[in-house]
């Protein structure tokens, strides 16, 4: 639907129901992304309240991210076949129930299971958000809708640590972390009612790939392979690296290879694979996928390290821990708001600048921890976190577009799905590795808060050094991407 301006140029006229539906969709996305950051400040109190193991803390973040990523592609295909409204509704309902279960957890296992289910549910309904926006908004207005979505992403990510800290500060360590999860309940219930009433029921005619079904064998192989790689990375240090951890790592590698072989065979049979092998005929795409994995491994692990150090090591409150993240959060919002304009003007250079700033910020934090030690304050972390946040904002918004631009236009949809999955897998692997380094190097030399602070600071320094190394590798990989993005993408 369109109208004309006084200059005679067509402008989109967007129905009121489209904006109402957008509010519902973004309420769901707000919940899913809030839970990627709000939980970080709750980790130390969860550890104390449940007497949780160190590995459990890694599982709470990694399990969510991995399950989220693995659900993205099949749920998108399922939405194409049966309609995105009910995939969104089902995923949102499951996410709300899983949030309730997280808050009710009485031990490690219950928490991990509830958190994994929460991640699966998030991965179910988030693809429907972009799909329904595509259906509801005409091309000329779609950019505005996606810009609003980008703002919601920035605000939810920024609000998470602060909101989590405020809740724990207000309700105490024992009950506060449970309310961190239960904050989703009123939002989820309201969004479910609104989704049933306001979201369109129909969907576009399914594509050939959607009609061909989901590659369940491929999904099983890659899921088993990634879990087999993740389990020893998280549990190995806690268990003292017994033989089974090395055997499981080897099995995970073999399962990933088997997945690749299966995808090639599945394609030759004329079926639609989970990850089309043809994408990897483009060397730049393969490099871009590794870039997505490595960058998100560096980026996601920053506040895992800082939250545990700030509370468990240095004795600060959850609110103080949340406040530490403010410079990064505001830097991210500012960077993301300018990233699209800068990408159009500078091309790939905006990504180079973004990763370079993140690298400078992480190396600065690592040096600050190394040189200042347990006496470090949030004011000393403010400049490097602001720099890293600004760089992250520059990178995160346009990076997928540049990676997708390395393949043919007809492959853009499949490539976009793979990029989304690899970002979540990178987050999961990053937390697993950083958690293993942090707790594997943790030695408290004696009794008292001074010894505790010294031990945790040493471990945080080692963990932040690994995050910085990931970022340096990402900076090298960013040059595999094209210098400019064709308007087709």
């Amino acid at each position: 639907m369109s109208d004309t301006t006084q200059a005679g140029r067509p402008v989109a006229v967007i129905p009121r129901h489209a904006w109402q539906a957008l509010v519902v969709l973004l309420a769901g996305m707000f919940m899913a992304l809030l839970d990627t950051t709000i939980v970080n400040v709750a980790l130390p109190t969860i550890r104390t309240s449940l007497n949780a193991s160190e590995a459990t803390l890694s599982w709470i973040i990694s399990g969510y991210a991995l399950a989220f990523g693995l659900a993205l592609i099949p749920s998108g295909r399922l939405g194409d076949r049966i309609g995105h409204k009910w995939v969104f509704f089902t995923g949102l309902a499951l996410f709300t129930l899983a949030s309730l279960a997280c808050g009710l957890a009485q031990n490690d296992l219950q928490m991990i299971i509830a958190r994994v289910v929460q991640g699966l549910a998030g991965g179910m309904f988030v693809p429907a958000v972009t799909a329904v926006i595509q259906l509801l908004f005409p091309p000329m207005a779609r950019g505005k809708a996606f810009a609003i979505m980008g703002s919601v992403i920035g605000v939810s990510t920024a609000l998470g640590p602060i909101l989590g800290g405020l809740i724990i500060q207000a309700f105490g360590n024992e009950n506060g972390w449970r309310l961190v999860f239960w904050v989703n309940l009123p939002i989820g219930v309201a969004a479910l009612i609104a989704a049933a009433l306001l979201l369109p029921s129909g969907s576009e005619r399914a594509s050939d790939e959607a009609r061909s079904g989901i590659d369940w064998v491929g999904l099983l192989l890659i899921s088993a392979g990634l879990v087999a790689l993740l389990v020893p990375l998280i549990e190995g240090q806690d268990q003292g690296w017994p033989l089974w951890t090395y055997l499981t790592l080897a099995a995970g590698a073999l399962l990933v290879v088997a997945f690749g072989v299966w995808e090639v065979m599945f394609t030759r049979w004329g079926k639609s694979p989970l990850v089309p092998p043809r994408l990897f005929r483009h060397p730049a795409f393969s490099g871009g996928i590794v870039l997505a994995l490595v960058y998100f491994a560096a980026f996601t692990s920053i506040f895992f390290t800082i939250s545990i150090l700030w509370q468990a090591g240095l004795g600060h409150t959850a609110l103080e821990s949340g406040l530490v993240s403010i410079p990064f959060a505001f830097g991210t919002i500012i960077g993301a708001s300018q990233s699209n304009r800068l990408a159009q003007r500078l091309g790939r250079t905006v990504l180079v600048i973004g990763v370079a700033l993140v690298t400078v910020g992480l190396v600065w934090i690592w040096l600050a921890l190394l040189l200042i030690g347990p006496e470090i304050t949030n004011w000393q972390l403010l400049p490097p976190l602001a720099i890293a946040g600004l760089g992250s904002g520059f990178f995160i918004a346009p990076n997928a577009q540049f990676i997708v631009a390395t393949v043919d236009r007809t492959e853009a949809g499949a490539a976009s799905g793979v990029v989304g999955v690899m970002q979540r897998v990178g987050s999961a692997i990053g937390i697993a590795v950083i958690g293993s380094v942090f707790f594997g190097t943790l030695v408290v030399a004696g009794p008292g808060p001074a010894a505790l602070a010294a031990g945790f600071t040493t471990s945080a320094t080692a963990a932040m050094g690994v995050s910085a190394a990931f970022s340096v590798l990402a900076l090298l990989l960013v040059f595999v991407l094209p210098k400019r993005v064709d308007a087709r993408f």
Side-chain angles (χ1 to χ4, degrees):
M1 186 181 298
S2 66
D3 203 344
T4 57
T5 64
Q6 291 180 348
R9 293 190 300 268
V11 296
V13 177
I14 306 167
R16 182 180 177 185
H17 72 83
W19 291 113
Q20 292 172 335
L22 181 64
V23 172
V24 178
L25 295 167
L26 295 184
M29 177 163 277
F30 176 86
M31 287 171 56
L33 295 174
L34 185 74
D35 267 49
T36 63
T37 57
I38 195 173
V39 177
N40 276 312
V41 296
L43 290 175
T45 55
I46 291 172
R47 182 188 187 194
T48 303
S49 178
L50 297 182
N51 194 25
S53 69
E54 295 161 349
T56 298
L57 303 186
S58 296
W59 276 118
I60 289 171
I61 308 297
S62 288
Y64 180 88
L66 182 62
F68 194 111
L70 292 173
L72 287 174
I73 292 179
S75 60
R77 297 269 182 90
L78 188 62
D80 289 336
R81 297 186 73 187
I82 69 172
H84 294 287
K85 172 178 180 175
W86 297 113
V87 172
F88 178 87
F89 186 91
T90 304
L92 188 60
L94 185 60
F95 187 93
T96 305
L97 289 172
S99 299
L100 175 63
C102 285
L104 291 173
Q106 299 298 314
N107 55 50
D108 298 39
L109 182 60
Q110 291 176 11
M111 171 58 75
I112 292 169
I113 292 173
R115 188 69 172 149
V116 168
V117 173
Q118 195 184 36
L120 283 171
M124 282 178 63
F125 72 77
V126 164
V129 175
T130 54
V132 176
I133 288 174
Q134 294 276 359
L135 296 175
L136 287 176
F137 290 85
M140 286 181 291
R142 208 168 284 155
K144 186 175 182 180
F146 280 118
I148 295 171
M149 185 181 80
S151 299
V152 170
I153 291 172
V155 170
S156 60
T157 304
L159 188 61
I162 302 166
L163 180 60
L166 284 170
I167 291 172
I168 293 171
Q169 183 78 12
F171 295 95
N173 290 346
E174 179 60 35
N175 297 315
W177 71 265
R178 298 183 187 276
L179 289 166
V180 161
F181 293 104
W182 290 344
V183 74
N184 292 327
L185 301 184
I187 303 172
V189 171
L192 285 168
I193 295 170
L197 297 174
L198 298 175
L199 293 189
S201 298
S203 63
E204 291 184 332
R205 186 171 61 87
S207 65
D208 292 338
E209 285 195 353
R211 287 196 301 270
S212 67
I214 297 170
D215 175 14
W216 292 111
V217 173
L219 181 62
L220 179 63
L221 285 171
I222 192 60
S223 300
L226 291 173
V227 170
L229 291 172
L230 205 62
V231 167
L233 287 176
I234 293 176
E235 297 286 346
Q237 180 274 323
D238 207 31
Q239 301 290 328
W241 296 102
L243 178 62
W244 71 263
T245 58
Y246 298 101
L247 294 177
T248 307
L249 281 170
L254 289 174
L255 284 166
V256 172
V257 171
F259 167 73
V261 172
W262 170 261
E263 296 297 272
V264 171
M265 293 170 55
F266 202 63
T267 304
R268 288 176 180 171
W269 296 338
K271 304 289 187 178
S272 175
L274 198 68
V275 178
R278 65 181 182 272
L279 294 176
F280 296 92
R281 295 173 187 165
H282 309 277
F285 177 79
S286 301
I289 286 299
V290 178
L291 166 64
L293 187 149
V294 170
Y295 178 83
F296 274 78
F299 153 72
T300 311
S301 58
I302 299 172
F303 290 102
F304 178 87
T305 300
I306 290 177
S307 293
I308 295 173
L309 168 66
W310 225 245
Q311 294 178 68
L314 303 183
H316 297 295
T317 66
L319 178 58
E320 290 169 329
S321 178
L323 292 174
V324 172
S325 69
I326 288 179
F328 187 94
F330 279 107
T332 301
I333 293 172
I334 293 168
S337 69
Q338 300 300 313
S339 61
N340 185 56
R341 182 176 61 84
L342 290 174
Q344 292 175 356
R345 179 185 299 178
L346 302 176
R348 184 185 65 190
T349 303
V350 72
L351 299 181
V352 176
I353 293 171
V355 183
L357 289 174
V358 172
T359 302
V360 168
L362 293 188
V363 171
W364 188 337
I365 295 169
W366 172 70
L367 286 172
L369 290 170
L370 183 66
L371 298 176
I372 301 172
E375 290 75 29
I376 194 165
T377 68
N378 59 323
W379 294 106
Q380 290 163 323
L381 291 182
L382 191 155
L385 284 173
I387 290 169
L390 186 66
S392 187
F394 285 156
F395 179 85
I396 286 181
N399 85 94
Q401 190 179 15
F402 276 82
I403 298 173
V404 171
T406 63
V407 304
D408 299 330
R409 185 182 182 184
T410 56
E411 300 169 336
S416 181
V418 174
V419 172
V421 172
M422 292 305 291
Q423 289 174 346
R424 306 302 171 187
V425 170
S427 296
I429 291 175
I431 293 295
V433 171
I434 294 303
S436 184
V437 170
F438 191 110
F439 295 114
T441 58
L442 181 59
V443 177
V444 179
L452 189 69
F456 271 84
T457 304
T458 299
S459 294
T461 304
M464 194 60 68
V466 175
S467 295
F470 278 139
S471 188
V472 170
L473 180 56
L475 181 59
L476 298 176
L477 287 167
V478 85
F479 290 97
V480 307
L481 298 180
K483 293 184 178 179
R484 295 266 170 197
V485 174
D486 193 299
R488 297 174 305 169
F489 297 94

